[in-house]
Amino acid sequence: MLKLLILAAVGALIGWMTNVIAIKLMFRPINPIGIKGTPFVLQGMIPKRRIEIAKSIGDVIGQELIKMETIVDRVIADIDKRQVVVMIKEKIVAVASEKMTSMIPSMFKHMIIQNIESIIDENGEQLVMEMAEKLSHMAIESIDISKMVEDQIAAFDFEKLEEITLKIAKTELKHIEVLGGVIGFFIGLLQGVIVLYLL
């Protein structure tokens, strides 16, 4: 019976240690380490595949979660068109007043300014929407969210990433370690029964 318990305990220890090492090997070593006398190179799974992982995450975020069209549509919808028109009008009137020479009689200046204000009031909101749509098309064509996310992840400090991941998934990873021990215990128990009683 003692031998059986020893084999089960050894199995539990092996199962637990295997899972602990497997979790560590997800991140470590960060840089590749060659094993002397063999063609094998040891490197953590995530650092080794950082480019593929970064690209996959970037593609998922850019294509499925955050589409540039959605961002632009939200920005356009949230624009206070009236406020933008007022700002444009103030700026144009200020520039026009400043640029008109003193040779122009003040009565004509006043009429020109009124005419400008009237045109902006009538067409301002439509012009703002047209400008916003043109800018949005330019933004959609020039901004690649997938590539931005990919570059950010690829350049991420992996020690910091490891720290964050282990902090967030601490409980779940502990469960995996314990589960390895439990499974190892029962495998060791089964092996003990086979070796001691069936062979």
Side-chain angles (χ1 to χ4, degrees), residues 29-193:
I30 293 172
N31 299 311
I33 298 172
I35 300 171
K36 283 187 178 181
T38 71
F40 300 111
V41 175
L42 190 63
Q43 187 179 14
M45 181 194 75
I46 292 175
K48 185 177 182 179
R49 301 186 62 196
R50 75 163 70 189
I51 303 300
E52 297 168 52
I53 292 169
K55 188 172 187 331
S56 297
I57 294 172
D59 287 344
V60 169
I61 290 174
Q63 294 171 17
E64 304 296 332
L65 299 180
I66 306 173
K67 294 190 177 180
M68 194 61 206
E69 291 87 342
T70 308
I71 295 172
V72 169
D73 288 345
R74 179 66 61 85
V75 170
I76 291 172
D78 289 344
I79 288 175
D80 185 344
K81 292 180 281 295
R82 194 65 238 156
Q83 187 178 358
V84 174
V85 169
V86 169
M87 288 168 58
I88 291 171
K89 184 166 71 172
E90 286 175 358
K91 187 67 178 174
I92 291 172
V93 167
V95 171
S97 299
E98 185 184 326
K99 296 295 180 185
M100 278 190 279
T101 65
S102 56
M103 293 173 64
I104 300 174
S106 58
M107 184 179 72
F108 287 121
K109 279 185 185 178
H110 186 66
M111 285 173 59
I112 292 167
I113 296 296
Q114 278 189 325
N115 201 20
I116 289 170
E117 288 179 337
S118 176
I119 291 168
I120 293 171
D121 285 336
E122 287 174 15
N123 304 291
E125 290 192 21
Q126 181 61 35
L127 288 170
V128 167
M129 286 305 297
E130 286 176 9
M131 285 168 59
E133 285 175 13
K134 283 180 183 177
L135 288 170
S136 71
H137 289 305
M138 288 169 65
I140 290 166
E141 288 169 10
S142 62
I143 298 173
D144 186 348
I145 288 181
S146 299
K147 189 74 174 73
M148 287 169 64
V149 172
E150 180 184 336
D151 292 343
Q152 285 290 319
I153 293 171
F156 207 82
D157 179 357
F158 271 86
E159 289 184 10
K160 191 69 179 172
L161 179 63
E162 179 186 18
E163 183 187 324
I164 291 167
T165 305
L166 294 177
K167 190 175 180 181
I168 292 170
K170 187 177 180 181
T171 305
E172 290 75 12
L173 294 174
K174 279 291 176 194
H175 288 165
I176 291 170
E177 290 173 9
V178 171
L179 186 61
V182 171
I183 293 170
F185 178 85
F186 284 111
I187 290 172
L189 200 63
L190 182 62
Q191 285 178 330
V193 169

Side-chain angles (χ1 to χ4, degrees), residues 193-199:
V193 169
I194 292 169
V195 170
L196 296 175
Y197 298 106
L198 300 179
L199 295 180

